[in-house]
């Protein structure tokens, strides 16, 4: 009998519960966050020097974002082959983004006017200076026309080597339509892109095991550089912002999920690893590739995921939207500037533009706030110095809210478009179909109804169904 054969009547010992817990990525990320906070608190100077750990992890994931978006969008569009249908998805996503972003801003505006965290500070504007602020905060910001032109890359390939998401999305959409229009000539390229996506997701799986180290370094830097005591100075602003973001997620996004026949809390459990990575790194970019894979696994079509989720990273930053209204009115209150309702609404209109195009990286919300203040005459840009020291403690809430908001938006648009397998989504959220870290480059859209403009979703073809790569939804009982 070999050593691996169990004796009759005996069973191999199951792994201990602790070992099973420690093998989970989200548990490792949580340990990394707590350990980083402890190191930053106990040894501040050493903790501040650990920033390269977090920056390195973010850089590793960021280098994969452009090719992952390219492969996902191109293959999704080339497989669908309906320009009107793809355009319809984009229009519906933009309508959803505008509505939810406006709702987020209005909620933030109401809360900051009720709580009034800046009242009573009586800061003298003449004592403020832009010295010490990031260079981007003190410079002029691009107009709407310049923003639109910036989405067009210099060359077809330069979009894949840059750091902006929108140029990648533009090139991917055009290339996908080009492959479809090429007919038989584009079939081989489409299949090659599908195979390439499998390789990319394998690399993503390897990189994600470094997430606990990245979370450890980022949290150690945050606490070591700013200190826990920083929170006490403007606790009311930080606390009210976190509670407002939590209210938006649980009530507004929870309602959106309910309307679409799903529940928010099981979905939050489903993406808990990604949320902990965002919490540790204060950035939503590192989780974009895994979110795309998880949303496809949950039943959303590849086309809807490939268009809606990356676009949401620029057009649907719900956390940043709340931050802009609360931050700008807080600064006005701190300076003793009495903003009328008309002035606040005019600032809100400007924020609907300045909140767009900001990537989900650390500090982008602060730069968007600077763009807002530079576009309206009510509050001086130098007032940003009042909240610069604690901005990092609000960046986690901004990123977390935006990640959940974009994920919910993708499911909502998929349901709206008839491209969501509801039974599969419910089974996944129940835990019946667990997501594994296996390569997700396969054609998960095969089981989704075709995007045919003006047509109702049709049942999947039985012969095509036989070739599906996804697990079937288990039968009830």
């Amino acid at each position: 009998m070999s050593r691996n054969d169990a004796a009759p009547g005996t069973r191999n010992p199951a792994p201990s519960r602790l070992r099973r817990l420690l093998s989970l990525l989200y548990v490792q990320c949580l340990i990394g966050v707590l350990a980083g906070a402890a190191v930053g608190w106990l040894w501040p100077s050493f903790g501040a020097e650990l920033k390269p750990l977090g920056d390195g992890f973010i850089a590793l994931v960021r280098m994969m974002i452009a090719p992952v978006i390219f492969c996902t969008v191109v293959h999704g569009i080339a497989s669908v082959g309906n320009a009107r249908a793809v355009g319809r998805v984009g229009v519906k996503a933009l309508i959803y983004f505008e509505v939810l972003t406006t709702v987020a801003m209005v909620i933030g505006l109401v809360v900051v006017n009720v709580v009034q965290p800046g009242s009573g500070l009586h800061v003298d504007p003449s004592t403020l200076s832009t010295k010490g602020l990031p260079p981007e905060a003190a410079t002029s910001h691009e107009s709407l026309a310049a923003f639109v032109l910036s989405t067009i890359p210099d060359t077809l390939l330069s979009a894949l080597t840059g750091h902006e998401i929108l140029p990648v999305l533009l090139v991917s959409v055009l290339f996908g339509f080009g492959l479809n229009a090429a007919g038989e000539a584009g079939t081989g390229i489409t299949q090659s892109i599908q195979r390439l996506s499998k390789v990319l997701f394998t690399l993503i799986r390897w990189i994600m095991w470094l997430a606990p180290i990245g979370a450890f370094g980022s949290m150690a830097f945050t606490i070591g550089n700013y200190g826990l005591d920083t929170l006490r100075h403007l606790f009311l602003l930080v606390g009210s912002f976190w509670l407002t973001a939590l209210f938006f997620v649980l009530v507004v996004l929870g309602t959106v999920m309910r309307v679409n026949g799903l529940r928010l809390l099981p979905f939050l459990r489903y993406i808990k690893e990604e949320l902990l990575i965002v919490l540790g790194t204060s950035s939503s970019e590192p989780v974009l590739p895994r979110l795309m894979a998880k949303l496809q696994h949950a039943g959303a079509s590849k086309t809807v995921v490939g268009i809606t989720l990356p676009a949401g990273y620029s057009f649907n930053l719900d956390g940043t939207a709340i931050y802009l209204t609360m931050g700008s009115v807080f600064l006005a209150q701190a300076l003793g500037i009495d903003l009328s309702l008309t002035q606040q609404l005019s600032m809100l209109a400007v924020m609907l533009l300045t909140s767009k195009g900001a990537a989900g990286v650390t500090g982008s919300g602060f730069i968007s706030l600077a763009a807002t203040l530079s576009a309206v005459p009510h509050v001086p840009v130098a007032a940003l110095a009042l909240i610069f020291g604690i901005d990092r403690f609000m960046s986690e809430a901004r990123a977390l809210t935006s990640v959940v908001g974009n994920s919910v938006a993708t499911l909502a648009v998929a349901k709206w478009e008839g491209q969501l397998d509801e039974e599969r989504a419910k089974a996944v959220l129940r835990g019946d179909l667990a997501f594994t870290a296996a390569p997700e480059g396969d054609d998960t859209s095969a089981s989704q109804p075709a995007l045919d403009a003006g047509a109702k979703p049709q049942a999947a073809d039985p012969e095509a169904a036989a070739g599906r790569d996804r697990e079937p939804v288990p039968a009830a009982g």
Side-chain angles (χ1 to χ4, degrees), residues 179 182-190:
L179 284 181
E184 197 67 32
T187 302
I189 299 177
T190 302

Side-chain angles (χ1 to χ4, degrees), residues 258-262 300 304 409-420 422:
R258 281 287 186 182
V259 168
N260 289 285
L262 302 173
V304 173
T410 303
L411 295 177
V413 173
K415 174 67 181 294
W416 194 0
E417 187 61 23
Q419 294 295 297
L420 178 66
E422 291 185 59

Side-chain angles (χ1 to χ4, degrees), residues 50-249:
L50 296 178
K51 188 173 184 289
L53 294 178
D55 291 346
F57 170 71
I58 293 175
L60 280 173
V61 179
R62 185 180 292 169
M63 76 177 183
M64 304 297 299
I65 288 177
V68 165
I69 291 177
F70 179 80
C71 290
T72 303
V73 175
V74 169
H75 185 264
I77 293 177
S79 301
V80 171
N82 191 320
R84 286 182 57 196
V86 173
R88 190 174 62 228
V89 170
V91 170
K92 289 180 178 179
L94 290 177
I95 292 174
Y96 176 95
F97 294 161
E98 282 304 311
V99 171
L100 267 290
T101 300
T102 303
V103 170
M105 288 183 175
V106 170
I107 291 175
L109 202 60
V110 171
V111 171
V112 75
N113 278 283
V114 171
V115 179
Q116 296 191 347
S119 296
L121 289 179
H122 305 297
V123 176
D124 184 359
S126 63
T127 63
L128 300 175
S129 170
T130 57
K131 184 179 180 181
L133 295 179
E136 298 88 344
T139 57
S140 58
H141 299 274
E142 61 184 13
S143 62
L144 176 61
F147 166 68
V148 173
L149 290 175
S150 69
T151 65
I152 305 175
D154 294 331
T155 66
L156 193 69
L157 296 179
S158 65
L160 303 180
T161 59
H163 297 293
E164 300 296 329
I165 292 177
L166 290 182
V168 179
L169 198 56
L170 175 64
V171 168
S172 302
V173 170
L174 293 176
F175 199 82
F177 284 137
L179 284 181
N180 189 268
E184 197 67 32
T187 302
I189 299 177
T190 302
Q191 293 173 348
S192 298
I193 288 176
Q194 181 185 5
R195 296 187 183 100
L196 176 61
S197 66
K198 292 183 179 182
V199 177
L200 294 176
F201 277 102
T202 299
L203 298 179
I204 288 291
R205 187 175 79 251
W206 294 346
I207 293 173
M208 292 312 295
W209 286 112
L210 298 176
I213 299 175
F216 167 77
S218 294
M219 188 56 66
F221 163 76
T222 299
I223 302 301
N225 194 54
Y226 299 111
L228 289 172
D229 290 342
T230 311
L231 286 176
R232 287 207 300 258
H233 296 290
L234 296 170
F235 175 78
L236 189 56
L237 174 62
V238 175
S240 59
F241 174 70
W242 272 86
L243 290 176
T244 304
L246 183 63
F247 173 85
F248 179 83
V249 169

Side-chain angles (χ1 to χ4, degrees), residues 275-342:
L275 295 180
L276 280 168
I277 292 170
V278 171
L279 178 65
T281 61
S282 297
S283 173
S284 57
E285 277 197 334
V287 299
L288 176 57
R290 270 180 64 101
L291 278 178
M292 295 176 75
K294 278 198 166 184
L295 290 170
Q296 290 178 55
H297 177 75
S301 73
K302 177 178 287 189
T303 306
V304 173
V305 172
I307 293 175
T308 306
L309 190 63
Y313 267 59
S314 288
F315 291 101
N316 189 45
L317 299 174
D318 297 326
T320 299
I322 298 172
Y323 171 79
L324 291 179
T325 50
M326 295 191 69
S328 57
V329 176
F330 167 82
L331 294 177
Q333 293 171 352
L335 297 176
I337 301 173
D338 186 18
L339 295 177
S340 65
L341 179 60
T342 302

Side-chain angles (χ1 to χ4, degrees), residues 18-37:
L18 179 60
R19 279 189 68 185
R20 290 199 303 270
L21 281 176
L22 293 178
S23 67
L24 299 175
L25 181 60
Y26 79 92
V27 174
Q28 296 172 10
C29 288
L30 181 60
I31 293 173
V33 168
L34 296 177

